[in-house]
Amino acid sequence: MTIESEMNAARSWIRECERPIVMTGAGVSAESGVPTFRDAGGLWRNHRPEELATPEAFDRDPELVWSFYSWRRSRLRHCEPNAGHFAIAEMERSHPDMWLVTQNVDGLHRRAGSSRVVELHGDIMIDRCENASDGACSFERPARVSEVVSEEGEDGPPQREPPQREPPQCEPPRCDQCGGRLRPGVVWFGEPVPAIEKCFELASAADLVLVVGTSGVVEPAASVARVARGAGAKVIDVNIEPSMLTEIADSFLRGASAEILPRLLGESPAR
Ligand code: OAD
């Protein structure tokens, strides 16, 4: 099948579906300049997630973890939603019961205009108290990027090994209410994913899942597409290369999401 006939089949499924889920990963933001995690240049190619994205890492070396997230926040200041984010936001107009489930913490879908969004892994631009996880404190606030990042910190993520220039001093700020440390409002490895039950419910009722720019290796997020597939939904996978979810896809559209999605969704007339 040519890409155009593959695209036409996918367009007709999208036109006909009533309860679609769009599920996105880091690839949808790649063309906005946000680093992915596992492909070439991805964050986890050069950094160990267990040293930067776990509660244990934050206990062991809070300055390093805070510096890493400060660096990521600082990069985001220069990033804008791309044509893929906008095409997904536009899809809500023709599909009022659609839900967007994103693993991304960059907020670019909301900035593009998506309103029915589940941010499965949280929001990097929120600070919340580390004591929130056991229910002891509910304090959170918008991140104050300018307070914690110098321009020097924008060169790259801070590292302890191998020895390099020390990252800017970035001790986590303290909670206004209980004095605990503030941490980024994201889900770390090993932590519960609060929104997952809602996503499984949506998946069980979905009739189509449009998977975009995810490797599909992180659970429980990847299971959202599998649950929907198991319940009979069509699955369309958009990626620059096959992913772990391509094998369950009815259609694999190979290419950059900022290029594929406007073609796929823009030419899909309203029902
Ligand atoms: P990954 O880095 O694992 O995968 C990114 C995917 O995007 C890969 O399959 C790429 O081939 C694809 N890709 C890259 N550029 C693309 C483009 N322009 N258009 C389309 N696809 C493109 O990122 P995620 O799957 O999002 O979790 O990773 C899942 C989770 O692992 C993240 O949410 C994060 C990470 O650790 C937490 O932080 C909890």
Side-chain angles (χ1 to χ4, degrees), residues 1 17 19-20 27 53 57 63 71 77 85 106 108 125 143 216 232 256:
M1 232 199 248
C17 72
R19 294 172 308 283
E63 283 192 17
W71 170 77
R77 285 189 304 181
H85 297 106
D106 56 31
L108 292 179
M125 298 312 272

Side-chain angles (χ1 to χ4, degrees), residues 25-26 31 37-39 44 103 121 187 189 213-215 218 239 257:
E31 282 140 314
F37 295 96
R38 294 176 183 79
D39 46 349
W44 300 154
Q103 298 166 84
H121 293 162
V187 174
F189 287 99
T214 179
S215 56
V218 171
N239 201 309
S257 51

Side-chain angles (χ1 to χ4, degrees), residues 13-93:
W13 299 335
I14 291 169
R15 199 165 47 239
E16 283 154 22
C17 72
E18 293 185 345
R19 294 172 308 283
I21 293 178
V22 179
M23 188 182 128
T24 64
V28 79
S29 295
E31 282 140 314
S32 296
V34 182
T36 60
F37 295 96
R38 294 176 183 79
D39 46 349
L43 292 175
W44 300 154
R45 285 292 186 100
N46 295 313
H47 303 276
R48 291 156 57 88
E50 57 272 30
E51 287 173 6
L52 294 168
T54 65
E56 293 76 19
F58 192 55
D59 282 341
R60 206 166 41 235
D61 198 341
E63 283 192 17
L64 179 69
V65 172
W66 189 258
S67 303
F68 173 65
Y69 282 91
S70 296
W71 170 77
R72 287 178 61 190
R73 287 168 169 178
S74 145
R75 274 198 68 138
L76 268 179
R77 285 189 304 181
H78 308 295
C79 297
E80 298 293 330
N82 65 51
H85 297 106
F86 287 117
I88 292 169
E90 189 64 23
M91 185 177 164
E92 274 185 31
R93 288 175 184 257

